[in-house]
Amino acid sequence: MLVALIAILICLSIASCITQKFKFKQESSVLITFLSIALFLYITGLFNLMRYAVYLIYFVAICAFGYTIYNVVKKKIKISEIITPGIIFYILVIFAMTFIVKGTYYYEWDEFSHWGANLKAMVQYDLFWSNNIYDGVHVVYTPLAGLVEYFFCKIHGGFSEEISYVAINFFIITLLLPICKNEKWNFKGIVKLVLFWVIVYLSIKVCNFQLTSIYIDFLLGVLFTTGMYLAFRLDGKDDKINLFLIMISMPLLKDTGLLLLGIILILLFFNNIVLKIIEDKKITKDNFKKFGILVLILVIVLAFYGTWKIYCGVNDRYL
């Protein structure tokens, strides 16, 4: 429970500064923060600096917390802007999840053969599991989920099977948070939030996903679902930033994320370019600009994905 609380405070503290600076919704800012932390750990991990990245994240969070408290006291920001109905339910759901997985341990074969063993090595050495200092199996698997688990284990003070479950479920819950960003403090808003999280729970049951699991297929599905939702909605810059971070994250979570990335890019191409051409009955410079942006996004995502392949190659790790 303490690890989840600290992780929440880190995310909310940094997110509150983003909300204050850019006037984003707090729910969107939390996901921006969470994915940025994961990708920051990935970038520093390429240079074998993950340990220092964790300390830097702590430092930034402490400064952000102090800055937010100062602004609240000075009435430069309202508490209602950073503690919203969506955030309250987010915290409650995370605490409920943490209670459910409390005292649990690995029981699946893959958790013992590589997922758990590789994570334990990453926590121990503060290096990617594909680093040649460690001799494991399936070490070429992309590491994003493992990095989130690594960060939670570092908060905990060491490797823990239970904490790795907390990390994966925290990841899933945080991905769904932007969907709740427009709910208000009224009866209708509260009812919608209750129904939303009940539907999420029932969906988990229907998909036969176990909360005590570090398999990433369901997590990838949630990442894709949120990406598709944001691609349809695109309600402000915060949605665009989150969608961009999600697209970078997908192939770093699992190689098949490249395929799902392609689906989102096709959707964006159709919605933002094809439909506009049909509506205007002509091709404009704006259409070419939007197409160029999609190409640039694809190049950036592939560049991030390519760095993992390069890292594996440098460490003589191949399929």
Side-chain angles (χ1 to χ4, degrees):
M1 190 71 75
L2 181 60
V3 172
L5 176 61
I6 293 173
I8 289 171
L9 288 174
I10 289 173
C11 288
L12 289 184
S13 296
I14 299 175
S16 295
C17 289
I18 296 174
T19 298
Q20 295 169 64
K21 178 66 176 178
F22 300 103
K23 306 302 179 184
F24 291 165
K25 294 288 188 178
Q26 181 74 337
E27 292 84 354
S28 294
S29 297
V30 170
L31 182 56
I32 290 172
T33 300
F34 187 85
L35 292 177
S36 295
I37 287 173
L39 292 173
F40 179 63
L41 287 169
Y42 174 74
I43 293 170
T44 54
L46 293 171
F47 303 97
N48 300 329
L49 298 172
M50 286 161 51
R51 175 186 304 173
Y52 305 104
V54 172
Y55 295 141
L56 183 57
I57 292 167
Y58 290 162
F59 176 75
V60 171
I62 291 171
C63 292
F65 182 79
Y67 178 74
T68 300
I69 294 298
Y70 172 81
N71 282 341
V72 170
V73 172
K74 292 294 183 177
K75 298 183 179 180
K76 294 183 178 181
I77 185 173
K78 298 178 181 178
I79 295 180
S80 60
E81 294 178 23
I82 56 178
I83 304 297
T84 64
I87 294 298
I88 293 295
F89 273 82
Y90 169 69
I91 294 172
L92 292 175
V93 170
I94 285 177
F95 282 159
M97 171 275 298
T98 305
F99 178 78
I100 291 172
V101 303
K102 183 177 176 60
T104 54
Y105 301 93
Y106 293 161
Y107 62 94
E108 296 282 359
W109 168 251
D110 284 359
E111 293 173 330
F112 291 108
S113 66
H114 57 278
W115 285 124
N118 292 350
L119 172 62
K120 186 175 183 178
M122 192 152 63
V123 174
Q124 178 181 350
Y125 296 115
D126 292 301
L127 298 167
F128 284 151
W129 53 46
S130 60
N131 192 285
N132 56 24
I133 195 174
Y134 168 65
D135 185 21
V137 297
H138 299 306
V139 292
V140 297
Y141 284 1
T142 47
L144 195 70
L147 287 171
V148 172
E149 296 171 81
Y150 164 84
F151 183 61
F152 276 68
C153 285
K154 282 298 178 180
I155 295 175
H156 176 68
F159 173 76
S160 167
E161 296 177 12
E162 173 190 325
I163 296 303
S164 68
Y165 290 146
V166 172
I168 292 296
N169 286 288
F170 196 106
F171 197 164
I172 292 171
I173 294 167
T174 305
L175 282 171
L176 297 170
L177 188 54
I179 299 175
C180 308
K181 81 172 188 176
N182 292 317
E183 302 309 327
K184 302 185 182 301
W185 288 108
N186 53 43
F187 179 76
K188 181 180 178 181
I190 301 301
V191 170
K192 286 171 68 176
L193 285 169
V194 171
L195 289 176
F196 172 74
W197 288 111
V198 168
I199 290 171
V200 169
Y201 178 75
L202 293 176
S203 299
I204 288 174
K205 290 297 183 182
V206 169
C207 294
N208 200 30
F209 174 75
Q210 302 296 324
L211 295 180
T212 51
S213 172
I214 54 175
Y215 289 172
I216 60 175
D217 299 281
F218 185 80
L219 174 58
L220 179 61
V222 175
L223 193 66
F224 172 66
T225 301
T226 302
M228 289 290 286
Y229 177 82
L230 294 178
F232 273 110
R233 186 174 72 178
L234 285 182
D235 179 24
K237 291 183 179 179
D238 50 347
D239 276 1
K240 293 178 181 179
I241 293 172
N242 270 324
L243 179 58
F244 179 60
L245 294 175
I246 284 173
M247 288 192 287
I248 292 176
S249 301
M250 289 172 68
L252 292 177
L253 186 67
K254 193 170 183 178
D255 292 324
T256 50
L258 284 170
L259 175 61
L260 301 180
L261 167 70
I263 296 173
I264 292 178
L265 287 173
I266 291 171
L267 171 64
L268 291 172
F269 176 75
F270 185 80
N271 278 355
N272 297 333
I273 300 175
V274 174
L275 289 182
K276 187 64 175 176
I277 292 174
I278 294 174
E279 180 182 337
D280 295 340
K281 297 181 180 179
K282 63 180 180 179
I283 299 176
T284 64
K285 290 183 179 180
D286 186 58
N287 299 138
F288 284 108
K289 180 181 177 181
K290 290 179 178 178
F291 180 74
I293 292 174
L294 290 181
V295 172
L296 180 60
I297 290 173
L298 178 60
V299 170
I300 293 173
V301 172
L302 292 178
F304 266 88
Y305 180 67
T307 57
W308 176 249
K309 298 302 181 182
I310 293 171
Y311 187 89
C312 290
V314 169
N315 287 275
D316 296 319
R317 303 294 196 172
Y318 305 99
L319 285 175

